[in-house]
Amino acid sequence: MPSRRRGEELEATILEAAWAEIRENGYQRLTVEGVAARAHTGKQVLYRRWPNRVRLTVAAIRHALGPLVPEVPDTGSLRGDYLAVLRAMAARARHYTPELLYGLLSEMPEFGGEVFATLPEVITPILRNAAARGEIPTADLPERVAALPLNLIRYEGLRSPGAWQVLDEAAADRLFAEILDQIFLPLVCRPDC
Amino acid sequence: MPSRRRGEELEATILEAAWAEIRENGYQRLTVEGVAARAHTGKQVLYRRWPNRVRLTVAAIRHALGPLVPEVPDTGSLRGDYLAVLRAMAARARHYTPELLYGLLSEMPEFGGEVFATLPEVITPILRNAAARGEIPTADLPERVAALPLNLIRYEGLRSPGAWQVLDEAAADRLFAEILDQIFLPLVCRPDC
DNA sequence: CGAATAAGAGACGATGCGTCTCTAAGTCGG
DNA sequence: CCGACTTAGAGACGCATCGTCTCTTATTCG
């Protein structure tokens, strides 16, 4: 008979079970009973740690995807840097099916804070570097402008959710290029760029 | 004893009952039983018309809010026209609580087509008028650019949902002005605008 | 006027949440 | 090394609500 698991080990098993259930059946059909069964444990063990289904799900996502904020890229150009950020975001977004994202937001609107973060920790340094290189006249952009590509990408993901799941890397890059070249760069660069 | 209702009359009563329940209790707590009770009818009468709770809700929204596409405004300037469109959209958005919007989208992702429409029927004429007046060099903008303010407003509504419900008209107008003046107009107008 | 239709009312089975209860495995202080 | 405490593992339970089914009877239509 296998020994009983505890603490970290048990917790990790449960969160991985939850994440597996989500990937296989989606969030709507995620049941606490199902997760418990898959982790070979009882419901009470889950409810001892998370107060309800939503919070369990959030914990599972965080466990599976790791920290939200990506590294600050330094590719030598504003375009390259921002592109790197968009790629990192898209990689993360690929795990959010529409059904999962909307389901979570409907039951826990404050989760939006996590999903819609403006990421100044990343964007501000990028803009400062660009200004130092002389690519843009000033790094001091209104937040709405600084986060524009970020927001547009996210909007794209909300608007045609599921799109990330089928978009190959080349197609995603084309989308990023469109947003950067048609909208963001014309808006922030000195006229001659 | 009151006579039994039928057809249009009964249907309208039901949809109004559903909408009232949504406004009072939100979508999550909308129950088919509750709607039936409020409309003084039986569940079967609802299920005879709509296959499930989501579809009933969508029907109730359409009944309450009317057609999606607003009139084409003609204020004499691109800024004024687009502002009018944004105001019309915001008026509609005010009825979508986060909980309602996300709930619907999670259970019926294709509803996004309705919520995220690019509204070319409205935007294209506006741009054509602006071009005819000489405000912009060409009316032939990429769709992504033409719909930019629309998308940003909607993103704003998704990002801080519930915000519309508390935003007074002046504050909403400030937001629209920010988006038009900082982003859209600089992007599409001839340099001297 | 008689037959067909559909309203109004509610019982029913299924599902799944969150709570509660029980036994025994593992941990820890003395 | 042992007795007390904690908590894992298992599942029963009550409750809400979905969607289906059944029944009676008012209304409509041929």
Side-chain angles (χ1 to χ4, degrees), chain B residues 3-4 6 30-33 43-44 47 52-53:
Chain B
S3 67
R4 285 185 179 173
R6 297 198 154 218
L30 174 88
T31 72
V32 180
E33 255 134 357
K43 288 206 290 182
Q44 191 58 48
Y47 280 107
N52 52 45
R53 200 178 75 117

Side-chain angles (χ1 to χ4, degrees), chain B residues 10-57:
Chain B
L10 177 56
E11 200 151 317
T13 308
I14 294 169
L15 292 178
E16 278 149 29
W19 184 239
E21 291 278 314
I22 289 169
R23 271 179 310 170
E24 281 175 31
N25 303 323
Y27 175 63
Q28 305 277 6
R29 281 185 296 172
L30 174 88
T31 72
V32 180
E33 255 134 357
V35 175
R38 184 170 202 136
H40 302 291
T41 185
K43 288 206 290 182
Q44 191 58 48
V45 174
L46 310 207
Y47 280 107
R48 207 160 9 238
R49 291 173 166 73
W50 304 278
N52 52 45
R53 200 178 75 117
V54 193
R55 303 293 292 272
L56 166 62
T57 304

Side-chain angles (χ1 to χ4, degrees), chain A residues 114-185:
Chain A
E114 189 149 324
V115 176
F116 298 123
T118 330
L119 300 184
E121 317 87 325
V122 183
I123 301 300
T124 307
I126 286 179
L127 291 175
R128 245 200 311 265
N129 291 344
R133 277 188 303 261
E135 283 187 276
I136 57 177
T138 169
D140 193 28
L141 301 173
E143 185 176 356
R144 195 177 304 288
V145 175
L148 189 57
L150 233 48
N151 291 345
L152 287 175
I153 286 296
R154 286 187 181 128
Y155 179 74
E156 213 62 38
L158 288 167
R159 178 200 180 134
S160 348
W164 292 128
Q165 281 79 41
V166 294
L167 219 59
D168 62 82
E169 261 183 58
D173 272 356
R174 268 196 302 281
L175 173 63
F176 302 155
E178 232 182 271
I179 286 174
L180 289 175
D181 297 330
Q182 286 179 11
I183 297 176
F184 183 65
L185 294 175

Side-chain angles (χ1 to χ4, degrees), chain A residues 17-18 20-35 38 53 57 97 99-100 103 107, chain B residues 106-107:
Chain A
E21 291 279 314
I22 289 170
R23 271 179 309 171
E24 280 175 31
N25 303 323
Y27 175 63
Q28 306 276 7
R29 280 185 295 171
L30 174 88
T31 71
V32 179
E33 255 135 356
V35 175
R38 185 170 201 135
R53 201 177 73 116
T57 304
T97 63
E99 186 266 335
L100 169 60
E107 291 176 32
Chain B
S106 74
E107 291 176 33

